[in-house]
Amino acid sequence: MNSAIPLLRGASPRYPYPLRLYSRLTSNVVSRAFISTTAAAPTTIAGFLDFKPQDAVSDVKIDGFVRSVRTQKLRSFVALGDGSSLRSLQAVVPIDQAEGLSIGAAVRLHGSWTPSPGLKQSHELHVERATVLGPSDAKTFPIQRKYHTPEYLRTLPHLRPRVPFNTTVLRLRSEIIASLTRFFGNRNFIQTHTPILTSSDCEGAGEVFNVSAGDPSPAPAESKTAVSKPFFRRPVYTTVSAQLHLEALAQALGNVWTLSPTFRAEKSDTPRHLSEFYMLEAEMSFTDDLGSVMDFAEGMLKHIATDLSSSRVKEELLARINDGASDLATAEQVEQRWAGILQPSWPRITYTEAIQTLENAGAAITRRPTWGEDLSTEHEKYIATEVGKGSPVFVTNYPRDIKAFYMKGDCVESPHGATVECFDLLVPDLCEIAGGSMREHRLDNLLESMRTHGIAPTSSENAIESDSPQSAENNLSWYVDLRRWGCPPHGGFGVGFDRLICYLSGIQTIHDTSAFPRWYGRCDC
């Protein structure tokens, strides 16, 4: 082309015609049945499964892990996954490119994304070049393409996340966290990071892990080596709740929230208990009404259910459940759980009303209720089923003696005894998944409650002046100080995040909601 010809508007030295004109001039060069759109091609397997062009798309690249291989005389059919989808992508690989494509291998495949003649998928990848990036010995790979029991998979915590359904559960966790972040951010809550190590036992139950430094093995009896100085000045534990520290932050930032790991040294090997678990906790400053705290918790869970109701991850959960796996709740149960959360309003009854309901239950329960005792699992299931009718149920105003010291006392006492402004949130099948309360913000009332619960903290001045590393078994003097200087009425709640995952996914055992679960007797990697 003569360089003296002026460039048309919208052109460039490289493309001297405007882009639209250039496209028309060169259209006869590009085959209508074979289009190259590398820049527009998806980057995940989930994206490719949704990508359904009418014509073949050439020069695409897909990274993933081989889930299975079926070999014929001239080609191999490879099922590929990358964690983004429960379904596999089918790749058709020429036999001369199939070497090393064994189950578990990490591979990179180049080829064309082509409409498939098969009935199980709309498109498939016709591979032109296959590269093994991480080889795998198919004979020794522990996770084959068959059903593995949850018990077996728990012995392989480092490989268990590769099971397609487990990747779906982990993506559910991720999407719920993203939904929560949007929910709190839109309501001007500040996300904070609270400590894992603490000198305070928030619940006062003593089920904490003690923290120490150095070699835990005892020194020989004949050793004359001096006992090393403790790392911290006082006993230190792993936290059982972020609440106390959140209250301190709320007095500086206003409304705050956190999602953080918590720990409980409870020697309980049941499907409902973990030793390391995540708690979603929030504190609302300048709030003097328990109803507003319950409203917020209810709105938060409804937001999650609404946000994810039509998501890919929910559809995949139900698809896996429909396979009839015995370790999962039925698809109908899970659908009812999601629908129950979205009910217009959730019932709210007092603890005393719950006891009355249980007293009238007759033969439907085996253990008779007693006012002043905590509700058993059987009681909670009955209340959630009969009162909730499918939706969650708030049970409020429990007896003071069975609740934590920091809960604010009711202005009007029950005829049976003193109660506190608190709630437990019960759901069908799983029972309690959340709890909250108004916090006792008045100094004298807090000190009285602590004495009633057998807690006698030293003053902050004494704690600071003491050189003894054992100056206090449960350091709550700083928490008391919060009431001395500008403590407004406030309340908050905590949601057992792993239990919430259990409830929404249909998983029957909380051990299977976490990537690397820890529970009594088990910490395998």
Side-chain angles (χ1 to χ4, degrees), residues 161-187:
R162 296 200 196 181
V163 175
F165 181 72
N166 289 339
T167 65
T168 303
V169 174
L170 294 175
R171 283 187 286 112
L172 174 65
R173 291 181 72 103
S174 176
E175 292 197 22
I176 290 178
I177 293 170
S179 180
L180 286 167
T181 302
R182 290 190 295 269
F183 176 83
F184 282 109
N186 290 338
R187 288 155 183 80

PDB file of all heavy atoms in Angstrom, residues 161-187:
ATOM      1  N   PRO A 161      -9.222 -32.291  49.574  1.00  0.00           N
ATOM      2  CA  PRO A 161      -9.820 -31.172  48.820  1.00  0.00           C
ATOM      3  C   PRO A 161      -9.907 -31.413  47.317  1.00  0.00           C
ATOM      4  O   PRO A 161     -10.654 -30.720  46.625  1.00  0.00           O
ATOM      5  CB  PRO A 161      -8.889 -29.994  49.144  1.00  0.00           C
ATOM      6  CG  PRO A 161      -8.288 -30.344  50.460  1.00  0.00           C
ATOM      7  CD  PRO A 161      -8.111 -31.835  50.424  1.00  0.00           C
ATOM      8  N   ARG A 162      -9.166 -32.391  46.772  1.00  0.00           N
ATOM      9  CA  ARG A 162      -9.214 -32.633  45.325  1.00  0.00           C
ATOM     10  C   ARG A 162     -10.492 -33.364  44.898  1.00  0.00           C
ATOM     11  O   ARG A 162     -10.791 -33.421  43.707  1.00  0.00           O
ATOM     12  CB  ARG A 162      -8.000 -33.461  44.892  1.00  0.00           C
ATOM     13  CG  ARG A 162      -6.667 -32.763  45.107  1.00  0.00           C
ATOM     14  CD  ARG A 162      -5.613 -33.411  44.242  1.00  0.00           C
ATOM     15  NE  ARG A 162      -4.271 -33.039  44.663  1.00  0.00           N
ATOM     16  CZ  ARG A 162      -3.164 -33.451  44.051  1.00  0.00           C
ATOM     17  NH1 ARG A 162      -3.263 -34.260  43.005  1.00  0.00           N
ATOM     18  NH2 ARG A 162      -1.974 -33.078  44.477  1.00  0.00           N
ATOM     19  N   VAL A 163     -11.203 -33.958  45.833  1.00  0.00           N
ATOM     20  CA  VAL A 163     -12.464 -34.608  45.495  1.00  0.00           C
ATOM     21  C   VAL A 163     -13.432 -33.527  45.017  1.00  0.00           C
ATOM     22  O   VAL A 163     -13.614 -32.505  45.694  1.00  0.00           O
ATOM     23  CB  VAL A 163     -13.039 -35.354  46.715  1.00  0.00           C
ATOM     24  CG1 VAL A 163     -14.422 -35.930  46.403  1.00  0.00           C
ATOM     25  CG2 VAL A 163     -12.086 -36.457  47.142  1.00  0.00           C
ATOM     26  N   PRO A 164     -14.057 -33.690  43.859  1.00  0.00           N
ATOM     27  CA  PRO A 164     -14.868 -32.608  43.288  1.00  0.00           C
ATOM     28  C   PRO A 164     -15.903 -32.020  44.238  1.00  0.00           C
ATOM     29  O   PRO A 164     -16.067 -30.798  44.286  1.00  0.00           O
ATOM     30  CB  PRO A 164     -15.523 -33.279  42.073  1.00  0.00           C
ATOM     31  CG  PRO A 164     -14.532 -34.310  41.647  1.00  0.00           C
ATOM     32  CD  PRO A 164     -13.928 -34.832  42.917  1.00  0.00           C
ATOM     33  N   PHE A 165     -16.607 -32.850  45.000  1.00  0.00           N
ATOM     34  CA  PHE A 165     -17.620 -32.289  45.891  1.00  0.00           C
ATOM     35  C   PHE A 165     -16.973 -31.442  46.984  1.00  0.00           C
ATOM     36  O   PHE A 165     -17.536 -30.423  47.402  1.00  0.00           O
ATOM     37  CB  PHE A 165     -18.461 -33.397  46.525  1.00  0.00           C
ATOM     38  CG  PHE A 165     -19.538 -32.861  47.444  1.00  0.00           C
ATOM     39  CD1 PHE A 165     -20.641 -32.217  46.926  1.00  0.00           C
ATOM     40  CD2 PHE A 165     -19.424 -32.975  48.819  1.00  0.00           C
ATOM     41  CE1 PHE A 165     -21.629 -31.711  47.757  1.00  0.00           C
ATOM     42  CE2 PHE A 165     -20.397 -32.477  49.660  1.00  0.00           C
ATOM     43  CZ  PHE A 165     -21.506 -31.841  49.126  1.00  0.00           C
ATOM     44  N   ASN A 166     -15.786 -31.850  47.442  1.00  0.00           N
ATOM     45  CA  ASN A 166     -15.124 -31.066  48.482  1.00  0.00           C
ATOM     46  C   ASN A 166     -14.668 -29.711  47.956  1.00  0.00           C
ATOM     47  O   ASN A 166     -14.649 -28.716  48.690  1.00  0.00           O
ATOM     48  CB  ASN A 166     -13.945 -31.840  49.067  1.00  0.00           C
ATOM     49  CG  ASN A 166     -14.400 -33.008  49.922  1.00  0.00           C
ATOM     50  OD1 ASN A 166     -15.533 -33.025  50.397  1.00  0.00           O
ATOM     51  ND2 ASN A 166     -13.545 -33.989  50.098  1.00  0.00           N
ATOM     52  N   THR A 167     -14.279 -29.647  46.682  1.00  0.00           N
ATOM     53  CA  THR A 167     -13.950 -28.332  46.121  1.00  0.00           C
ATOM     54  C   THR A 167     -15.203 -27.459  46.059  1.00  0.00           C
ATOM     55  O   THR A 167     -15.129 -26.242  46.246  1.00  0.00           O
ATOM     56  CB  THR A 167     -13.351 -28.453  44.707  1.00  0.00           C
ATOM     57  OG1 THR A 167     -14.333 -28.985  43.810  1.00  0.00           O
ATOM     58  CG2 THR A 167     -12.136 -29.354  44.694  1.00  0.00           C
ATOM     59  N   THR A 168     -16.354 -28.079  45.821  1.00  0.00           N
ATOM     60  CA  THR A 168     -17.609 -27.320  45.806  1.00  0.00           C
ATOM     61  C   THR A 168     -17.898 -26.736  47.176  1.00  0.00           C
ATOM     62  O   THR A 168     -18.302 -25.572  47.302  1.00  0.00           O
ATOM     63  CB  THR A 168     -18.773 -28.229  45.359  1.00  0.00           C
ATOM     64  OG1 THR A 168     -18.479 -28.774  44.070  1.00  0.00           O
ATOM     65  CG2 THR A 168     -20.070 -27.443  45.285  1.00  0.00           C
ATOM     66  N   VAL A 169     -17.668 -27.513  48.230  1.00  0.00           N
ATOM     67  CA  VAL A 169     -17.903 -27.027  49.597  1.00  0.00           C
ATOM     68  C   VAL A 169     -16.946 -25.880  49.922  1.00  0.00           C
ATOM     69  O   VAL A 169     -17.344 -24.879  50.538  1.00  0.00           O
ATOM     70  CB  VAL A 169     -17.744 -28.179  50.613  1.00  0.00           C
ATOM     71  CG1 VAL A 169     -17.838 -27.653  52.046  1.00  0.00           C
ATOM     72  CG2 VAL A 169     -18.807 -29.248  50.386  1.00  0.00           C
ATOM     73  N   LEU A 170     -15.707 -26.003  49.500  1.00  0.00           N
ATOM     74  CA  LEU A 170     -14.742 -24.930  49.756  1.00  0.00           C
ATOM     75  C   LEU A 170     -15.104 -23.665  48.988  1.00  0.00           C
ATOM     76  O   LEU A 170     -14.918 -22.548  49.476  1.00  0.00           O
ATOM     77  CB  LEU A 170     -13.330 -25.398  49.404  1.00  0.00           C
ATOM     78  CG  LEU A 170     -12.771 -26.531  50.284  1.00  0.00           C
ATOM     79  CD1 LEU A 170     -11.421 -26.994  49.778  1.00  0.00           C
ATOM     80  CD2 LEU A 170     -12.666 -26.083  51.740  1.00  0.00           C
ATOM     81  N   ARG A 171     -15.652 -23.827  47.783  1.00  0.00           N
ATOM     82  CA  ARG A 171     -16.115 -22.647  47.042  1.00  0.00           C
ATOM     83  C   ARG A 171     -17.349 -22.037  47.704  1.00  0.00           C
ATOM     84  O   ARG A 171     -17.537 -20.814  47.675  1.00  0.00           O
ATOM     85  CB  ARG A 171     -16.410 -23.015  45.586  1.00  0.00           C
ATOM     86  CG  ARG A 171     -15.137 -23.158  44.750  1.00  0.00           C
ATOM     87  CD  ARG A 171     -15.426 -23.344  43.274  1.00  0.00           C
ATOM     88  NE  ARG A 171     -15.927 -24.683  42.967  1.00  0.00           N
ATOM     89  CZ  ARG A 171     -17.142 -24.952  42.561  1.00  0.00           C
ATOM     90  NH1 ARG A 171     -18.033 -23.971  42.409  1.00  0.00           N
ATOM     91  NH2 ARG A 171     -17.515 -26.186  42.282  1.00  0.00           N
ATOM     92  N   LEU A 172     -18.195 -22.883  48.303  1.00  0.00           N
ATOM     93  CA  LEU A 172     -19.336 -22.353  49.060  1.00  0.00           C
ATOM     94  C   LEU A 172     -18.842 -21.478  50.206  1.00  0.00           C
ATOM     95  O   LEU A 172     -19.367 -20.383  50.444  1.00  0.00           O
ATOM     96  CB  LEU A 172     -20.193 -23.499  49.593  1.00  0.00           C
ATOM     97  CG  LEU A 172     -21.348 -23.092  50.514  1.00  0.00           C
ATOM     98  CD1 LEU A 172     -22.394 -22.261  49.768  1.00  0.00           C
ATOM     99  CD2 LEU A 172     -22.000 -24.326  51.151  1.00  0.00           C
ATOM    100  N   ARG A 173     -17.836 -21.941  50.928  1.00  0.00           N
ATOM    101  CA  ARG A 173     -17.251 -21.123  52.003  1.00  0.00           C
ATOM    102  C   ARG A 173     -16.790 -19.780  51.451  1.00  0.00           C
ATOM    103  O   ARG A 173     -17.056 -18.721  52.030  1.00  0.00           O
ATOM    104  CB  ARG A 173     -16.064 -21.843  52.657  1.00  0.00           C
ATOM    105  CG  ARG A 173     -16.399 -23.074  53.468  1.00  0.00           C
ATOM    106  CD  ARG A 173     -15.147 -23.678  54.088  1.00  0.00           C
ATOM    107  NE  ARG A 173     -14.636 -22.855  55.165  1.00  0.00           N
ATOM    108  CZ  ARG A 173     -14.791 -23.131  56.461  1.00  0.00           C
ATOM    109  NH1 ARG A 173     -15.456 -24.204  56.831  1.00  0.00           N
ATOM    110  NH2 ARG A 173     -14.298 -22.327  57.378  1.00  0.00           N
ATOM    111  N   SER A 174     -16.073 -19.831  50.330  1.00  0.00           N
ATOM    112  CA  SER A 174     -15.530 -18.608  49.745  1.00  0.00           C
ATOM    113  C   SER A 174     -16.643 -17.651  49.339  1.00  0.00           C
ATOM    114  O   SER A 174     -16.557 -16.432  49.593  1.00  0.00           O
ATOM    115  CB  SER A 174     -14.662 -18.963  48.541  1.00  0.00           C
ATOM    116  OG  SER A 174     -14.196 -17.809  47.889  1.00  0.00           O
ATOM    117  N   GLU A 175     -17.700 -18.166  48.715  1.00  0.00           N
ATOM    118  CA  GLU A 175     -18.770 -17.291  48.245  1.00  0.00           C
ATOM    119  C   GLU A 175     -19.574 -16.714  49.410  1.00  0.00           C
ATOM    120  O   GLU A 175     -20.046 -15.576  49.332  1.00  0.00           O
ATOM    121  CB  GLU A 175     -19.669 -18.058  47.276  1.00  0.00           C
ATOM    122  CG  GLU A 175     -18.958 -18.402  45.974  1.00  0.00           C
ATOM    123  CD  GLU A 175     -19.916 -18.779  44.860  1.00  0.00           C
ATOM    124  OE1 GLU A 175     -21.107 -18.391  44.931  1.00  0.00           O
ATOM    125  OE2 GLU A 175     -19.472 -19.455  43.912  1.00  0.00           O
ATOM    126  N   ILE A 176     -19.736 -17.485  50.483  1.00  0.00           N
ATOM    127  CA  ILE A 176     -20.424 -16.939  51.657  1.00  0.00           C
ATOM    128  C   ILE A 176     -19.600 -15.822  52.280  1.00  0.00           C
ATOM    129  O   ILE A 176     -20.139 -14.784  52.686  1.00  0.00           O
ATOM    130  CB  ILE A 176     -20.716 -18.054  52.677  1.00  0.00           C
ATOM    131  CG1 ILE A 176     -21.791 -19.001  52.127  1.00  0.00           C
ATOM    132  CG2 ILE A 176     -21.183 -17.462  54.006  1.00  0.00           C
ATOM    133  CD1 ILE A 176     -22.113 -20.166  53.040  1.00  0.00           C
ATOM    134  N   ILE A 177     -18.288 -16.005  52.352  1.00  0.00           N
ATOM    135  CA  ILE A 177     -17.427 -14.951  52.895  1.00  0.00           C
ATOM    136  C   ILE A 177     -17.527 -13.690  52.037  1.00  0.00           C
ATOM    137  O   ILE A 177     -17.617 -12.567  52.565  1.00  0.00           O
ATOM    138  CB  ILE A 177     -15.969 -15.448  52.985  1.00  0.00           C
ATOM    139  CG1 ILE A 177     -15.840 -16.549  54.033  1.00  0.00           C
ATOM    140  CG2 ILE A 177     -15.021 -14.294  53.321  1.00  0.00           C
ATOM    141  CD1 ILE A 177     -14.500 -17.256  54.025  1.00  0.00           C
ATOM    142  N   ALA A 178     -17.520 -13.860  50.723  1.00  0.00           N
ATOM    143  CA  ALA A 178     -17.647 -12.697  49.837  1.00  0.00           C
ATOM    144  C   ALA A 178     -18.995 -12.014  50.040  1.00  0.00           C
ATOM    145  O   ALA A 178     -19.083 -10.774  50.073  1.00  0.00           O
ATOM    146  CB  ALA A 178     -17.483 -13.131  48.379  1.00  0.00           C
ATOM    147  N   SER A 179     -20.053 -12.800  50.199  1.00  0.00           N
ATOM    148  CA  SER A 179     -21.388 -12.233  50.425  1.00  0.00           C
ATOM    149  C   SER A 179     -21.440 -11.486  51.751  1.00  0.00           C
ATOM    150  O   SER A 179     -22.012 -10.389  51.846  1.00  0.00           O
ATOM    151  CB  SER A 179     -22.431 -13.357  50.398  1.00  0.00           C
ATOM    152  OG  SER A 179     -23.733 -12.848  50.615  1.00  0.00           O
ATOM    153  N   LEU A 180     -20.844 -12.056  52.785  1.00  0.00           N
ATOM    154  CA  LEU A 180     -20.808 -11.393  54.099  1.00  0.00           C
ATOM    155  C   LEU A 180     -20.031 -10.085  54.029  1.00  0.00           C
ATOM    156  O   LEU A 180     -20.423  -9.086  54.640  1.00  0.00           O
ATOM    157  CB  LEU A 180     -20.170 -12.326  55.135  1.00  0.00           C
ATOM    158  CG  LEU A 180     -21.018 -13.500  55.605  1.00  0.00           C
ATOM    159  CD1 LEU A 180     -20.164 -14.494  56.377  1.00  0.00           C
ATOM    160  CD2 LEU A 180     -22.171 -13.007  56.475  1.00  0.00           C
ATOM    161  N   THR A 181     -18.931 -10.095  53.297  1.00  0.00           N
ATOM    162  CA  THR A 181     -18.119  -8.880  53.190  1.00  0.00           C
ATOM    163  C   THR A 181     -18.928  -7.751  52.552  1.00  0.00           C
ATOM    164  O   THR A 181     -18.876  -6.600  52.996  1.00  0.00           O
ATOM    165  CB  THR A 181     -16.848  -9.160  52.375  1.00  0.00           C
ATOM    166  OG1 THR A 181     -16.105 -10.222  53.011  1.00  0.00           O
ATOM    167  CG2 THR A 181     -15.971  -7.926  52.289  1.00  0.00           C
ATOM    168  N   ARG A 182     -19.696  -8.098  51.524  1.00  0.00           N
ATOM    169  CA  ARG A 182     -20.559  -7.080  50.896  1.00  0.00           C
ATOM    170  C   ARG A 182     -21.638  -6.614  51.868  1.00  0.00           C
ATOM    171  O   ARG A 182     -21.930  -5.410  51.966  1.00  0.00           O
ATOM    172  CB  ARG A 182     -21.199  -7.662  49.630  1.00  0.00           C
ATOM    173  CG  ARG A 182     -20.229  -7.886  48.487  1.00  0.00           C
ATOM    174  CD  ARG A 182     -20.967  -8.226  47.200  1.00  0.00           C
ATOM    175  NE  ARG A 182     -21.681  -9.501  47.283  1.00  0.00           N
ATOM    176  CZ  ARG A 182     -21.154 -10.668  46.936  1.00  0.00           C
ATOM    177  NH1 ARG A 182     -19.900 -10.741  46.515  1.00  0.00           N
ATOM    178  NH2 ARG A 182     -21.873 -11.784  47.010  1.00  0.00           N
ATOM    179  N   PHE A 183     -22.237  -7.551  52.592  1.00  0.00           N
ATOM    180  CA  PHE A 183     -23.317  -7.219  53.515  1.00  0.00           C
ATOM    181  C   PHE A 183     -22.837  -6.243  54.587  1.00  0.00           C
ATOM    182  O   PHE A 183     -23.457  -5.192  54.818  1.00  0.00           O
ATOM    183  CB  PHE A 183     -23.857  -8.498  54.168  1.00  0.00           C
ATOM    184  CG  PHE A 183     -24.911  -8.263  55.216  1.00  0.00           C
ATOM    185  CD1 PHE A 183     -26.243  -8.078  54.852  1.00  0.00           C
ATOM    186  CD2 PHE A 183     -24.584  -8.214  56.562  1.00  0.00           C
ATOM    187  CE1 PHE A 183     -27.215  -7.858  55.820  1.00  0.00           C
ATOM    188  CE2 PHE A 183     -25.548  -7.997  57.537  1.00  0.00           C
ATOM    189  CZ  PHE A 183     -26.869  -7.810  57.162  1.00  0.00           C
ATOM    190  N   PHE A 184     -21.729  -6.579  55.245  1.00  0.00           N
ATOM    191  CA  PHE A 184     -21.242  -5.710  56.315  1.00  0.00           C
ATOM    192  C   PHE A 184     -20.724  -4.386  55.754  1.00  0.00           C
ATOM    193  O   PHE A 184     -20.939  -3.322  56.358  1.00  0.00           O
ATOM    194  CB  PHE A 184     -20.136  -6.417  57.105  1.00  0.00           C
ATOM    195  CG  PHE A 184     -20.642  -7.434  58.087  1.00  0.00           C
ATOM    196  CD1 PHE A 184     -20.462  -8.785  57.867  1.00  0.00           C
ATOM    197  CD2 PHE A 184     -21.309  -7.040  59.234  1.00  0.00           C
ATOM    198  CE1 PHE A 184     -20.913  -9.728  58.765  1.00  0.00           C
ATOM    199  CE2 PHE A 184     -21.774  -7.972  60.151  1.00  0.00           C
ATOM    200  CZ  PHE A 184     -21.581  -9.328  59.918  1.00  0.00           C
ATOM    201  N   GLY A 185     -20.036  -4.441  54.616  1.00  0.00           N
ATOM    202  CA  GLY A 185     -19.511  -3.211  54.038  1.00  0.00           C
ATOM    203  C   GLY A 185     -20.596  -2.227  53.663  1.00  0.00           C
ATOM    204  O   GLY A 185     -20.444  -1.012  53.863  1.00  0.00           O
ATOM    205  N   ASN A 186     -21.708  -2.732  53.145  1.00  0.00           N
ATOM    206  CA  ASN A 186     -22.817  -1.856  52.764  1.00  0.00           C
ATOM    207  C   ASN A 186     -23.528  -1.251  53.970  1.00  0.00           C
ATOM    208  O   ASN A 186     -24.317  -0.315  53.815  1.00  0.00           O
ATOM    209  CB  ASN A 186     -23.833  -2.624  51.913  1.00  0.00           C
ATOM    210  CG  ASN A 186     -23.281  -2.967  50.533  1.00  0.00           C
ATOM    211  OD1 ASN A 186     -22.351  -2.324  50.050  1.00  0.00           O
ATOM    212  ND2 ASN A 186     -23.841  -3.994  49.908  1.00  0.00           N
ATOM    213  N   ARG A 187     -23.248  -1.784  55.162  1.00  0.00           N
ATOM    214  CA  ARG A 187     -23.891  -1.279  56.380  1.00  0.00           C
ATOM    215  C   ARG A 187     -22.882  -0.602  57.301  1.00  0.00           C
ATOM    216  O   ARG A 187     -23.136  -0.417  58.484  1.00  0.00           O
ATOM    217  CB  ARG A 187     -24.614  -2.433  57.093  1.00  0.00           C
ATOM    218  CG  ARG A 187     -25.871  -2.854  56.325  1.00  0.00           C
ATOM    219  CD  ARG A 187     -26.269  -4.279  56.598  1.00  0.00           C
ATOM    220  NE  ARG A 187     -27.441  -4.645  55.783  1.00  0.00           N
ATOM    221  CZ  ARG A 187     -27.382  -4.997  54.496  1.00  0.00           C
ATOM    222  NH1 ARG A 187     -26.205  -5.016  53.872  1.00  0.00           N
ATOM    223  NH2 ARG A 187     -28.484  -5.313  53.830  1.00  0.00           N
TER     224      ARG A 187
END
